[in-house]
Amino acid sequence: MSGTIFTKIMNREIPADIVHEDDVSLAFRDINPQAPVHLLIIPKKEIATINDMEEGDRELVGHLYWVAAKLAKEMGFADEGYRTVMNCGESAGQSVFHIHLHVLAGKPLGWPPYTDKMKQA
Ligand code: 5GP
């Protein structure tokens, strides 16, 4: 894997609004937010999709959820509720091939998440 835009953010080659960093993960605000709060939490390890996870990555991916819960508490939306999403593959909407956990909060979020148009497909 040659690296995506998220590698550039990790390496501080392009700016991002970083809200958390530790030895294995980074969290920053999405450039095109779909809710008042829209964070992306990534592992520093470059893993293209969920399908590319190795057995040894299980704890690392669990760590992303731990960071989500920590930020939700710190940023004050834990009790109100939030959505976590990890898209896998193009038809699921994945556009950056470095796994990332979306964290959305700050408004009521509809469920199910698909549109009528998608239902007919
Ligand atoms: P995906 O579609 O792969 O699930 O999510 C990729 C997300 O990355 C999108 O929500 C998109 O707005 C966000 N994104 C793409 N490029 C950048 C960037 O350069 N900076 C930031 N902060 N977010 C980005």
Side-chain angles (χ1 to χ4, degrees):
M1 184 171 170
S2 58
T4 67
I5 194 97
F6 291 172
T7 300
K8 291 189 169 69
I9 289 174
M10 268 194 299
N11 294 337
R12 300 337 196 240
E13 290 166 31
I14 62 166
D17 186 353
I18 292 171
V19 295
H20 171 87
E21 181 167 24
D22 58 45
D23 53 341
V24 295
S25 73
L26 187 74
F28 50 90
R29 291 185 193 276
D30 196 294
I31 204 168
N32 183 24
Q34 301 302 309
V37 177
H38 188 170
L39 309 176
L40 300 172
I41 308 174
I42 68 169
K44 289 186 174 174
K45 179 178 177 185
E46 292 175 339
I47 304 169
T49 78
I50 295 172
N51 292 332
D52 299 297
M53 280 176 62
E54 295 168 349
E55 193 175 351
D57 296 327
R58 292 182 300 175
E59 192 173 331
L60 176 60
V61 175
H63 180 83
L64 306 182
Y65 283 88
W66 183 85
V67 172
K70 175 177 145 54
L71 290 174
K73 287 173 202 148
E74 287 175 4
M75 296 171 81
F77 57 85
D79 291 341
E80 161 198 332
Y82 55 98
R83 179 167 299 158
T84 55
V85 177
M86 191 179 286
N87 296 320
C88 181
E90 275 172 29
S91 72
Q94 185 174 4
S95 60
V96 179
F97 286 80
H98 179 141
I99 61 168
H100 46 281
L101 189 63
H102 293 262
V103 179
L104 299 136
K107 71 171 188 181
L109 299 163
W111 191 265
Y114 47 75
T115 64
D116 285 346
K117 195 176 162 203
M118 290 165 82
K119 257 190 227 176
Q120 288 157 11

